[in-house]
Amino acid sequence: DAKTTQPTSMDCAEGRAANLPCNHSTISGNEYVYWYRQIHSQGPQYIIHGLKNNETNEMASLIITEDRKSSTLILPHATLRDTAVYYCIVRVAPTGANNLFFGTGTRLTVIP
Amino acid sequence: DTGVSQDPRHKITKRGQNVTFRCDPISEHNRLYWYRQTLGQGPEFLTYFQNEAQLEKSRLLSDRFSAERPKGSFSTLEIQRTEQGDSAMYLCASSSNFGQGGLGLYGYTFGSGTRLTVV
């Protein structure tokens, strides 16, 4: 599975949109982009995933560039509870390895 | 169903002792995973079960580590002769193989982990 590159940390003002970038320049055509987040002292939590098209759910939006080499996770109105480490993962489905490679993620701090 | 449960939440043990952790996955999930997370790092894969069969093991899983899922429901992870380097958060996750090759529609569901401290 392709590896990803994320900024180490980001800050965002409460109530503003948080835009978290991820580079996955070696992504293959059958690899999906998944986002998880991990709030302190908890296990990772699934947020959203996509293949080609932009996706939106109740938590976030995922914007994938046309060449699929990068993506952005958008939290439209960040709250203090969104402070967490955000992981971008690319993975083949359905035949990919059964492990997820998390990397070190982006530590998002939402500032009051 | 309240999600993936792990027990205990915290464990402090002396070096050389054996420890065992338990994971109860979401009942309808047939796949179960163990991950390890050290401070400042993302979770790292240890092993994976489909039902009761252990299908994949990471190189991180030394011979002091053993995992079981005897009836395809709960799982245990045992560490024998613990070392200080084993200090970490041990995370369990489960998923269904319905939809997107095991990640399901909503990815893995993780438990809150067991934090092991070896002194």
Side-chain angles (χ1 to χ4, degrees):
Chain A
D1 292 339
K3 298 298 186 287
T4 63
T5 304
Q6 300 178 250
T8 303
S9 63
M10 293 181 64
D11 293 339
C12 178
E14 187 178 17
R16 304 298 292 269
N19 298 287
L20 292 91
C22 179
N23 286 323
H24 31 79
S25 58
T26 60
I27 193 169
S28 300
N30 60 348
E31 288 184 311
Y32 288 72
V33 180
Y34 281 79
W35 283 83
Y36 283 74
R37 74 179 182 184
Q38 188 172 23
I39 295 170
H40 183 61
S41 296
Q42 297 183 21
Q45 175 192 23
Y46 166 85
I47 301 173
I48 198 168
H49 73 278
L51 180 62
K52 295 180 182 178
N53 300 322
N54 299 337
E55 302 288 345
T56 295
N57 63 20
E58 65 278 5
M59 290 181 67
S61 295
L62 173 61
I63 309 299
I64 302 174
T65 58
E66 194 168 341
D67 63 6
R68 302 205 329 117
K69 293 185 177 182
S70 66
S71 60
T72 301
L73 178 74
I74 301 172
L75 308 179
H77 305 286
T79 71
L80 299 179
R81 294 199 295 180
D82 292 322
T83 292
V85 178
Y86 288 77
Y87 297 99
C88 170
I89 298 164
V90 293
R91 183 186 185 275
V92 173
T95 58
N98 290 299
N99 56 33
L100 298 177
F101 181 79
F102 279 84
T104 53
T106 296
R107 180 172 298 278
L108 175 70
T109 303
V110 179
I111 302 169
Chain B
D1 195 341
T2 56
V4 178
S5 299
Q6 292 189 246
D7 183 69
R9 287 297 310 273
H10 303 275
K11 178 71 176 180
I12 299 175
T13 190
K14 291 185 178 179
R15 188 172 48 145
Q17 297 294 305
N18 299 343
V19 293
T20 300
F21 311 139
R22 176 178 170 125
C23 171
D24 287 273
I26 291 174
S27 57
E28 60 265 31
H29 284 180
N30 61 337
R31 295 184 174 187
L32 186 146
Y33 312 83
W34 285 98
Y35 281 75
R36 182 176 73 180
Q37 185 173 26
T38 53
L39 199 62
Q41 302 297 314
E44 297 172 293
F45 172 76
L46 291 178
T47 191
Y48 149 68
F49 290 84
Q50 177 153 313
N51 301 312
E52 66 276 8
Q54 188 174 19
L55 296 185
E56 191 172 342
K57 292 194 287 187
S58 160
R59 290 173 299 173
L60 294 176
L61 210 69
S62 76
D63 56 7
R64 296 184 298 105
F65 288 68
S66 62
E68 294 183 344
R69 194 183 183 199
K71 297 183 180 178
S73 57
F74 72 93
S75 175
T76 58
L77 177 68
E78 180 183 17
I79 309 174
Q80 296 182 327
R81 305 180 303 280
T82 52
E83 302 172 355
Q84 287 188 321
D86 297 331
S87 295
M89 174 78 84
Y90 290 85
L91 293 160
C92 176
S94 68
S95 73
S96 165
N97 65 336
F98 296 107
Q100 303 201 352
L103 283 188
L105 292 177
Y106 302 106
Y108 292 6
T109 302
F110 280 85
S112 294
T114 294
R115 181 167 295 285
L116 173 66
T117 302
V118 182
V119 298

